[in-house]
Amino acid sequence: QNREKTPLFEFLSFQDVHGPLQFLHEYSSLFEKKDWSHNRKILTRKIAIVDHYIGLIVNALKKKGFWQNTVMVVTSDNGGAREEGASNWPLRGSKGTILEGGIRGRAFLHSPIIPENLKGKSFPYVMHVTDWYPTLLRMSGCEMPENAHRLDGAAQDIFHNEPELKRTHILHFMDPLKVEARKSDIRTFPVLSKRKFDVTVKAAIRSENWKLITGRPCHSGCSYSNKERNSRYVIDRVSLDDVESSKLVRLYKIMEDPIERNEISHLFPEIVDKFLIKLADYYDEQRIPQNEKRDHSSTPTDGVWRPWLKKEKYFYKSFTGTSQNENNVSHHSQGCKFSPKL
């Protein structure tokens, strides 16, 4: 195909560095002499494998003449799982928690077309994974979908020293099925007196420098980070109850305190109320989780996952009882002539 007229988009989701902890045999001796935990050695081998195959992709793009006009994004979807040898140091928490170590992902972007003055720089603003789609569309000169107003993400000016567009607010997490059974917080929050949401629900929200957590942010792996990294990457099994008093509402100045050591909800009750009202609004807007009963026919007999239902059903019902059919946002009919706008 004509490289000048046919833009290429490739999405590649590696199984590594996700669990289970397996690796190719030819990598079995890699990092063997390191004084690390067994799981850490396996995980770093998996990272080396991913690095190798990303290199093959880059080389193929160069060979085909695509690389000089390519933007490559490598991103994670959450913090690492400490029980599998990962480290989120100096951040507190692990995958599955709503502390920064569990929800703050890592990403980097590489491209020959990035201006020299931005290479090696960090984007110092809040960005959500859903922002990548509109950001890359905007950067590449592609048209936005007509129903773009329904997208969760927002285009970010990641290629500018002083971005005009930046996200200041983000709902990190909310799960109505994850509720703290113990009423361990003696405080009351009158702003929620007539709302369906309450502070036992596991949720996290951020606006600029403020981050608020409700419910139980983690169960184990909740210790505060030490000044030095755990050199052997031993699993953190510290319980939340062992390191801080029982609370169902926590507030942090997250830019100044990214390790979430200084809980200050008692000092800023107005900020807390503002966030709780916003969480209550989100709670009313969300869709009921479609948790179906376990279907054993979905279990593969030959180790290969395949569709097992003759007809999939996706029925959305809001917490207010209003049934809705959701239309997927599609970009298939939109024009896209790759013309970078940096």
Side-chain angles (χ1 to χ4, degrees), residues 109-166:
L109 184 147
H110 182 77
S111 175
I113 67 176
I114 296 176
E116 287 294 329
N117 65 330
L118 289 180
K119 291 182 178 179
K121 299 291 183 63
S122 295
F123 185 68
Y125 304 103
V126 179
M127 185 169 180
H128 189 262
V129 66
T130 57
D131 294 339
W132 280 117
Y133 174 54
T135 296
L136 293 177
L137 281 181
R138 185 174 187 269
M139 179 277 300
S140 63
C142 297
E143 297 177 18
M144 293 292 288
E146 294 179 0
N147 48 1
H149 64 281
R150 296 183 60 249
L151 293 175
D152 291 323
Q156 301 266 16
D157 274 347
I158 58 177
F159 301 101
H160 294 78
N161 282 319
E162 297 181 2
E164 297 178 2
L165 305 176
K166 59 182 180 181

Side-chain angles (χ1 to χ4, degrees), residues 31-307:
F31 307 113
E32 189 59 37
K33 294 183 180 180
K34 291 286 188 179
D35 186 26
W36 293 342
S37 66
H38 175 69
N39 286 356
R40 179 66 179 182
K41 293 178 182 179
I42 297 178
L43 182 67
T44 48
R45 290 167 191 160
K46 290 161 71 71
I47 295 173
I49 293 170
V50 170
D51 185 66
H52 170 73
Y53 282 99
I54 289 177
L56 294 181
I57 294 170
V58 171
N59 288 336
L61 290 170
K62 291 179 178 179
K63 184 177 180 181
K64 295 293 183 179
F66 279 105
W67 183 248
Q68 290 304 315
N69 209 26
T70 291
V71 175
M72 182 180 71
V73 177
V74 178
T75 181
S76 61
D77 57 351
N78 46 248
R82 287 181 172 178
E83 64 273 15
E84 295 180 352
S87 170
N88 302 307
W89 185 90
L91 302 179
R92 183 182 173 203
S94 181
K95 176 182 177 179
T97 76
I98 51 178
L99 298 169
E100 289 296 284
I103 62 176
R104 186 181 293 200
R106 281 72 169 171
F108 71 86
L109 184 147
H110 182 77
S111 175
I113 67 176
I114 296 176
E116 287 294 329
N117 65 330
L118 289 180
K119 291 182 178 179
K121 299 291 183 63
S122 295
F123 185 68
Y125 304 103
V126 179
M127 185 169 180
H128 189 262
V129 66
T130 57
D131 294 339
W132 280 117
Y133 174 54
T135 296
L136 293 177
L137 281 181
R138 185 174 187 269
M139 179 277 300
S140 63
C142 297
E143 297 177 18
M144 293 292 288
E146 294 179 0
N147 48 1
H149 64 281
R150 296 183 60 249
L151 293 175
D152 291 323
Q156 301 266 16
D157 274 347
I158 58 177
F159 301 101
H160 294 78
N161 282 319
E162 297 181 2
E164 297 178 2
L165 305 176
K166 59 182 180 181
R167 177 189 284 273
T168 60
H169 177 87
I170 183 171
L171 175 66
H172 284 305
F173 187 92
M174 177 181 286
D175 189 342
L177 302 183
K178 294 185 184 299
V179 178
E180 175 60 30
R182 296 174 297 173
K183 294 280 186 177
S184 53
D185 202 322
I186 62 173
R187 295 174 294 175
T188 60
F189 301 94
V191 293
L192 298 178
S193 61
K194 297 182 180 180
R195 306 301 297 267
K196 295 180 180 179
F197 176 82
D198 71 66
V199 296
T200 61
V201 175
K202 184 177 180 180
I205 189 172
R206 175 175 173 177
S207 183
E208 297 182 336
N209 191 26
W210 299 101
K211 177 184 176 183
L212 183 124
I213 295 174
T214 62
R216 190 176 181 88
C218 67
H219 290 275
S220 63
C222 308
S223 63
Y224 296 109
S225 296
N226 297 320
K227 292 183 179 180
E228 296 182 0
R229 186 193 301 268
N230 182 339
S231 61
R232 297 198 66 251
Y233 302 95
V234 178
I235 299 174
D236 176 13
R237 302 188 186 279
V238 175
S239 170
L240 181 67
D241 299 325
D242 294 334
V243 294
E244 63 179 60
S245 59
S246 297
K247 289 185 177 180
L248 291 175
V249 174
R250 296 170 170 85
L251 182 69
Y252 303 96
K253 286 188 175 181
I254 204 64
M255 295 176 68
E256 302 164 17
D257 181 28
I259 63 175
E260 295 164 293
R261 182 181 291 273
N262 302 309
E263 199 287 301
I264 52 176
S265 61
H266 59 290
L267 298 178
F268 299 94
E270 298 86 358
I271 299 293
V272 170
D273 285 349
K274 178 181 176 181
F275 275 124
L276 291 179
I277 292 172
K278 190 63 178 177
L279 286 174
D281 292 341
Y282 279 131
Y283 192 86
D284 292 341
E285 294 172 6
Q286 70 177 330
R287 304 292 183 254
I288 296 176
Q290 300 182 65
N291 287 9
E292 302 292 340
K293 294 181 179 180
R294 184 173 299 177
D295 186 350
H296 293 286
S297 63
S298 66
T299 304
T301 57
D302 58 357
V304 180
W305 291 95
R306 300 181 179 89

